[in-house]
Amino acid sequence: MSDMSPHHGRGTLAVHAGVEPDPTTGAIMTPVYLTSTYVQDGVGNHKGFEYSRTHNPTRSALEAAFAALEHGSHGLAFASGLAAMDTVLKTLQPGDEVISTNDLYGGSYRLFTTVFAHYGITFHFVDLGDLESLKAKLNEHTRLIWVETPTNPMMQITDISAVAEAVKEAEARVVVDNTFASPMLQNPLDLGADMVMHSVTKYLGGHSDVVMGCLMTSDDAWEEELRTLQNSCGAVPGPMDCFLVLRGLKTLHLRMQRHCENGEAIAHHLAQHPAVAKVHWPGFETHPGHQVAARQMHGFGGMVAFTLADDNLDTAKAVVAKTNLFTLAESLGGVESLIGHPATMTHASIPKEVREKTGVTDGLIRLSVGIEDVQDLIADLDQALAQAHG
Ligand SMILES: *Cc1c(COP(=O)(O)O)cnc(C)c1O
């Protein structure tokens, strides 16, 4: 694949990683290999491709790009973020234990507690910002530490190097769900993590048109195990989706730059708005994770949450109903701005007392700030806040 090394800048990697002109025609863009199988000149005599669940050239180019973007040796693509996670968990055995954060993405929590708990795997949820509570659960059965940073929707930050350091004597590997940061803003493998997982559906795809997941690692033995599971279980993405993500990746650095700029401007605007009590954005020095975020990230991202001054359900529902540019929807990370109400949407299945402990109150609103002109986004939020209070 392309001669891209970690020495290249992130933008150069975004444009070039994994992609070489097509050897048969010279096509600059990776062709979409819509084929399930490949001709064999004689038994076992093929060009490295036998069947598309196992290998597809469009997917191989994308997997090489994924590896390069996270400064890893290997990249694997899956049919969704949860399919990628499912594959990691299938490397565990009954009796194994996993330690994760108590502010985990809801779908990850559901996969852990309603699927894998039935296979004899034990999950512990702790505050990963507190290394003592992590160490308290660490034992000879611990195999994985599942980190998510920043978290949804409160933008809590976990110190990846500190977690990797705390468990280095144990047999546990550290996996980081890097979905919210993207490889442009955070590279967990460089910070001591063993594996990175992304919901490609979000920033990597970036255009809200694909559901996909990926894993990146430099651990050869683990990669072999995961590759076998990818082929044995078959949760692979199709070649058209791989092409769409290859296309999306080429502007990842530009998109993330604009997501960060717009996120920052909106966070500052909302912080001085009379209808807003608090803005949750790690770029503020008052944010509890600011110091760590400033050290381990290359920007604070495009996710901004805020709590309304009256912290009221009806006002929050009115705000999300009144925006025009911010579309009311689940998901995040696309070029268009989205608005959501965690208490009734992403976190609806979590008991009120539990969610309120982490700050997910009825008056909390989450923004996935897109790449539109920021003055239009600010005007849209202002008019929605005014109408909701009118
Ligand atoms: C969306 C998301 C996932 C799940 O990914 P899918 O592509 O929806 O399966 C996992 N982690 C985080 C942080 C997410 O935002």
Side-chain angles (χ1 to χ4, degrees):
M1 282 299 155
S2 288
D3 189 19
M4 285 283 115
S5 78
H7 307 297
H8 286 98
R10 290 183 179 77
T12 307
L13 289 175
V15 175
H16 290 285
V19 176
E20 296 233 303
D22 180 48
T24 54
T25 63
I28 287 285
M29 298 309 302
T30 308
V32 187
Y33 284 92
L34 287 167
T35 187
S36 60
T37 189
Y38 308 83
V39 66
Q40 304 197 4
D41 293 338
V43 175
N45 189 7
H46 53 75
K47 297 181 163 73
F49 297 92
E50 292 163 276
Y51 187 64
S52 279
R53 175 169 21 77
T54 322
H55 293 110
N56 176 282
T58 315
R59 195 177 92 217
S60 299
L62 179 61
E63 291 185 327
F66 284 154
L69 284 169
E70 284 291 9
H71 305 163
S73 317
H74 311 287
L76 296 97
F78 295 89
S80 70
L82 288 176
M85 293 185 64
D86 176 69
T87 307
V88 175
L89 290 162
K90 281 174 179 157
T91 65
L92 303 182
Q93 303 289 327
D96 287 350
E97 298 190 11
V98 178
I99 304 174
S100 190
T101 165
N102 51 21
D103 192 21
L104 194 65
Y105 172 73
S108 309
Y109 183 80
R110 185 178 54 206
L111 181 67
F112 289 172
T113 57
T114 71
V115 180
F116 281 93
H118 293 178
Y119 293 101
I121 295 163
T122 303
F123 295 88
H124 302 284
F125 299 95
V126 304
D127 173 4
L128 285 180
D130 172 11
L131 294 178
E132 292 314 311
S133 64
L134 164 63
K135 284 181 184 159
K137 294 289 181 202
L138 196 66
N139 62 45
E140 73 273 22
H141 303 295
T142 313
R143 290 293 170 273
L144 288 185
I145 314 295
W146 192 279
V147 179
E148 192 183 312
T149 182
T151 61
N152 174 33
M154 299 307 290
M155 304 300 291
Q156 288 188 40
I157 305 292
T158 294
D159 186 336
I160 298 168
S161 317
V163 168
E165 181 67 24
V167 305
K168 77 167 193 271
E169 304 298 329
E171 236 187 272
R173 284 152 154 167
V174 177
V175 185
V176 177
D177 180 339
N178 204 26
T179 301
F180 268 44
S182 93
M184 290 299 127
L185 304 185
Q186 181 168 276
N187 298 116
L189 298 182
D190 295 346
L191 299 166
D194 300 288
M195 166 96 62
V196 178
M197 171 259 160
H198 284 274
S199 169
V200 176
T201 314
K202 318 294 167 52
Y203 287 109
L204 293 181
H207 295 73
S208 307
D209 50 10
V210 173
V211 171
M212 193 189 289
C214 68
L215 301 173
M216 295 83 150
T217 185
S218 293
D219 181 329
D220 296 340
W222 207 7
E223 188 262 347
E224 217 177 292
E225 223 181 318
L226 291 162
R227 192 62 76 186
T228 301
L229 284 166
Q230 183 193 42
N231 186 42
S232 304
C233 302
V236 292
M240 190 65 211
D241 283 356
C242 292
F243 172 82
L244 286 170
V245 174
L246 276 167
R247 179 187 242 241
L249 288 182
K250 293 188 187 296
T251 54
L252 180 61
H253 55 309
L254 299 176
R255 288 187 282 111
M256 290 315 297
Q257 189 182 345
R258 182 64 87 92
H259 284 299
C260 288
E261 287 166 11
N262 285 358
E264 177 169 1
I266 287 173
H268 282 278
H269 179 78
L270 291 174
Q272 50 75 50
H273 197 291
V276 174
K278 195 166 170 68
V279 180
H280 313 280
W281 178 70
F284 287 130
E285 276 177 29
T286 50
H287 186 285
H290 176 74
Q291 297 294 337
V292 176
R295 181 157 30 86
Q296 77 183 7
M297 299 178 75
H298 313 291
F300 300 110
M303 298 302 296
V304 177
F306 62 98
T307 309
L308 292 170
D310 64 5
D311 205 356
N312 176 280
L313 179 63
D314 292 329
T315 317
K317 280 186 171 168
V319 173
V320 301
K322 298 289 185 197
T323 52
N324 300 314
L325 285 174
F326 281 88
T327 308
L328 179 62
E330 308 249 353
S331 199
L332 62 112
V335 291
E336 67 289 306
S337 292
L338 301 179
I339 192 165
H341 183 243
T344 58
M345 294 169 71
T346 48
H347 290 60
S349 60
I350 302 173
K352 191 175 160 86
E353 318 78 65
V354 177
R355 67 172 160 81
E356 289 196 337
K357 262 190 218 146
T358 58
V360 184
T361 55
D362 288 346
L364 183 80
I365 292 173
R366 188 191 83 172
L367 305 175
S368 171
V369 179
I371 64 168
E372 301 94 333
D373 290 309
V374 74
Q375 68 273 20
D376 294 331
L377 296 178
I378 287 173
D380 189 35
L381 290 171
D382 281 351
Q383 66 79 27
L385 285 165
Q387 281 201 65
H389 290 83

PDB file of all heavy atoms in Angstrom, residues 263-276:
ATOM      1  N   GLY A 263     -17.269  24.783  16.936  1.00  0.00           N
ATOM      2  CA  GLY A 263     -17.594  24.333  18.290  1.00  0.00           C
ATOM      3  C   GLY A 263     -17.117  25.349  19.319  1.00  0.00           C
ATOM      4  O   GLY A 263     -17.845  25.695  20.257  1.00  0.00           O
ATOM      5  N   GLU A 264     -15.917  25.852  19.117  1.00  0.00           N
ATOM      6  CA  GLU A 264     -15.351  26.823  20.054  1.00  0.00           C
ATOM      7  C   GLU A 264     -16.181  28.120  20.068  1.00  0.00           C
ATOM      8  O   GLU A 264     -16.523  28.631  21.136  1.00  0.00           O
ATOM      9  CB  GLU A 264     -13.899  27.126  19.659  1.00  0.00           C
ATOM     10  CG  GLU A 264     -13.264  28.176  20.543  1.00  0.00           C
ATOM     11  CD  GLU A 264     -11.755  28.297  20.337  1.00  0.00           C
ATOM     12  OE1 GLU A 264     -11.196  27.574  19.485  1.00  0.00           O
ATOM     13  OE2 GLU A 264     -11.152  29.117  21.045  1.00  0.00           O
ATOM     14  N   ALA A 265     -16.521  28.613  18.882  1.00  0.00           N
ATOM     15  CA  ALA A 265     -17.282  29.870  18.806  1.00  0.00           C
ATOM     16  C   ALA A 265     -18.658  29.714  19.463  1.00  0.00           C
ATOM     17  O   ALA A 265     -19.108  30.600  20.203  1.00  0.00           O
ATOM     18  CB  ALA A 265     -17.443  30.297  17.343  1.00  0.00           C
ATOM     19  N   ILE A 266     -19.292  28.572  19.230  1.00  0.00           N
ATOM     20  CA  ILE A 266     -20.625  28.341  19.803  1.00  0.00           C
ATOM     21  C   ILE A 266     -20.541  28.152  21.319  1.00  0.00           C
ATOM     22  O   ILE A 266     -21.365  28.680  22.075  1.00  0.00           O
ATOM     23  CB  ILE A 266     -21.310  27.164  19.087  1.00  0.00           C
ATOM     24  CG1 ILE A 266     -21.740  27.644  17.691  1.00  0.00           C
ATOM     25  CG2 ILE A 266     -22.499  26.617  19.879  1.00  0.00           C
ATOM     26  CD1 ILE A 266     -22.279  26.567  16.786  1.00  0.00           C
ATOM     27  N   ALA A 267     -19.524  27.424  21.778  1.00  0.00           N
ATOM     28  CA  ALA A 267     -19.348  27.229  23.226  1.00  0.00           C
ATOM     29  C   ALA A 267     -19.201  28.585  23.919  1.00  0.00           C
ATOM     30  O   ALA A 267     -19.849  28.852  24.942  1.00  0.00           O
ATOM     31  CB  ALA A 267     -18.137  26.344  23.508  1.00  0.00           C
ATOM     32  N   HIS A 268     -18.372  29.470  23.342  1.00  0.00           N
ATOM     33  CA  HIS A 268     -18.168  30.790  23.956  1.00  0.00           C
ATOM     34  C   HIS A 268     -19.440  31.640  23.889  1.00  0.00           C
ATOM     35  O   HIS A 268     -19.773  32.341  24.845  1.00  0.00           O
ATOM     36  CB  HIS A 268     -16.996  31.514  23.286  1.00  0.00           C
ATOM     37  CG  HIS A 268     -15.669  31.004  23.759  1.00  0.00           C
ATOM     38  ND1 HIS A 268     -15.079  31.419  24.934  1.00  0.00           N
ATOM     39  CD2 HIS A 268     -14.825  30.083  23.239  1.00  0.00           C
ATOM     40  CE1 HIS A 268     -13.925  30.787  25.100  1.00  0.00           C
ATOM     41  NE2 HIS A 268     -13.752  29.958  24.085  1.00  0.00           N
ATOM     42  N   HIS A 269     -20.151  31.550  22.783  1.00  0.00           N
ATOM     43  CA  HIS A 269     -21.387  32.338  22.657  1.00  0.00           C
ATOM     44  C   HIS A 269     -22.420  31.884  23.697  1.00  0.00           C
ATOM     45  O   HIS A 269     -23.017  32.703  24.395  1.00  0.00           O
ATOM     46  CB  HIS A 269     -21.966  32.203  21.244  1.00  0.00           C
ATOM     47  CG  HIS A 269     -23.236  32.966  21.060  1.00  0.00           C
ATOM     48  ND1 HIS A 269     -23.255  34.329  20.861  1.00  0.00           N
ATOM     49  CD2 HIS A 269     -24.537  32.566  21.094  1.00  0.00           C
ATOM     50  CE1 HIS A 269     -24.514  34.732  20.769  1.00  0.00           C
ATOM     51  NE2 HIS A 269     -25.317  33.688  20.904  1.00  0.00           N
ATOM     52  N   LEU A 270     -22.624  30.553  23.787  1.00  0.00           N
ATOM     53  CA  LEU A 270     -23.632  30.042  24.724  1.00  0.00           C
ATOM     54  C   LEU A 270     -23.248  30.332  26.174  1.00  0.00           C
ATOM     55  O   LEU A 270     -24.121  30.545  27.021  1.00  0.00           O
ATOM     56  CB  LEU A 270     -23.834  28.533  24.517  1.00  0.00           C
ATOM     57  CG  LEU A 270     -24.515  28.117  23.211  1.00  0.00           C
ATOM     58  CD1 LEU A 270     -24.508  26.592  23.086  1.00  0.00           C
ATOM     59  CD2 LEU A 270     -25.954  28.651  23.138  1.00  0.00           C
ATOM     60  N   ALA A 271     -21.946  30.333  26.468  1.00  0.00           N
ATOM     61  CA  ALA A 271     -21.494  30.537  27.852  1.00  0.00           C
ATOM     62  C   ALA A 271     -21.924  31.900  28.394  1.00  0.00           C
ATOM     63  O   ALA A 271     -22.075  32.059  29.603  1.00  0.00           O
ATOM     64  CB  ALA A 271     -19.978  30.376  27.943  1.00  0.00           C
ATOM     65  N   GLN A 272     -22.100  32.887  27.496  1.00  0.00           N
ATOM     66  CA  GLN A 272     -22.531  34.205  27.993  1.00  0.00           C
ATOM     67  C   GLN A 272     -24.002  34.479  27.682  1.00  0.00           C
ATOM     68  O   GLN A 272     -24.471  35.597  27.831  1.00  0.00           O
ATOM     69  CB  GLN A 272     -21.595  35.310  27.481  1.00  0.00           C
ATOM     70  CG  GLN A 272     -21.295  35.337  25.976  1.00  0.00           C
ATOM     71  CD  GLN A 272     -22.440  35.856  25.144  1.00  0.00           C
ATOM     72  OE1 GLN A 272     -22.988  36.926  25.462  1.00  0.00           O
ATOM     73  NE2 GLN A 272     -22.827  35.128  24.112  1.00  0.00           N
ATOM     74  N   HIS A 273     -24.733  33.428  27.276  1.00  0.00           N
ATOM     75  CA  HIS A 273     -26.159  33.608  26.957  1.00  0.00           C
ATOM     76  C   HIS A 273     -26.990  33.502  28.246  1.00  0.00           C
ATOM     77  O   HIS A 273     -26.820  32.555  29.013  1.00  0.00           O
ATOM     78  CB  HIS A 273     -26.598  32.527  25.964  1.00  0.00           C
ATOM     79  CG  HIS A 273     -27.893  32.837  25.277  1.00  0.00           C
ATOM     80  ND1 HIS A 273     -29.096  32.838  25.938  1.00  0.00           N
ATOM     81  CD2 HIS A 273     -28.169  33.173  23.991  1.00  0.00           C
ATOM     82  CE1 HIS A 273     -30.057  33.154  25.089  1.00  0.00           C
ATOM     83  NE2 HIS A 273     -29.515  33.363  23.892  1.00  0.00           N
ATOM     84  N   PRO A 274     -27.899  34.468  28.498  1.00  0.00           N
ATOM     85  CA  PRO A 274     -28.659  34.453  29.763  1.00  0.00           C
ATOM     86  C   PRO A 274     -29.544  33.215  29.949  1.00  0.00           C
ATOM     87  O   PRO A 274     -29.857  32.845  31.087  1.00  0.00           O
ATOM     88  CB  PRO A 274     -29.515  35.728  29.691  1.00  0.00           C
ATOM     89  CG  PRO A 274     -29.438  36.205  28.277  1.00  0.00           C
ATOM     90  CD  PRO A 274     -28.185  35.669  27.688  1.00  0.00           C
ATOM     91  N   ALA A 275     -29.947  32.540  28.851  1.00  0.00           N
ATOM     92  CA  ALA A 275     -30.824  31.368  28.988  1.00  0.00           C
ATOM     93  C   ALA A 275     -30.037  30.089  29.263  1.00  0.00           C
ATOM     94  O   ALA A 275     -30.623  29.011  29.385  1.00  0.00           O
ATOM     95  CB  ALA A 275     -31.661  31.202  27.719  1.00  0.00           C
ATOM     96  N   VAL A 276     -28.711  30.198  29.340  1.00  0.00           N
ATOM     97  CA  VAL A 276     -27.870  29.006  29.501  1.00  0.00           C
ATOM     98  C   VAL A 276     -27.149  29.048  30.850  1.00  0.00           C
ATOM     99  O   VAL A 276     -26.511  30.038  31.197  1.00  0.00           O
ATOM    100  CB  VAL A 276     -26.835  28.922  28.345  1.00  0.00           C
ATOM    101  CG1 VAL A 276     -25.853  27.785  28.565  1.00  0.00           C
ATOM    102  CG2 VAL A 276     -27.563  28.757  27.005  1.00  0.00           C
TER     103      VAL A 276
END
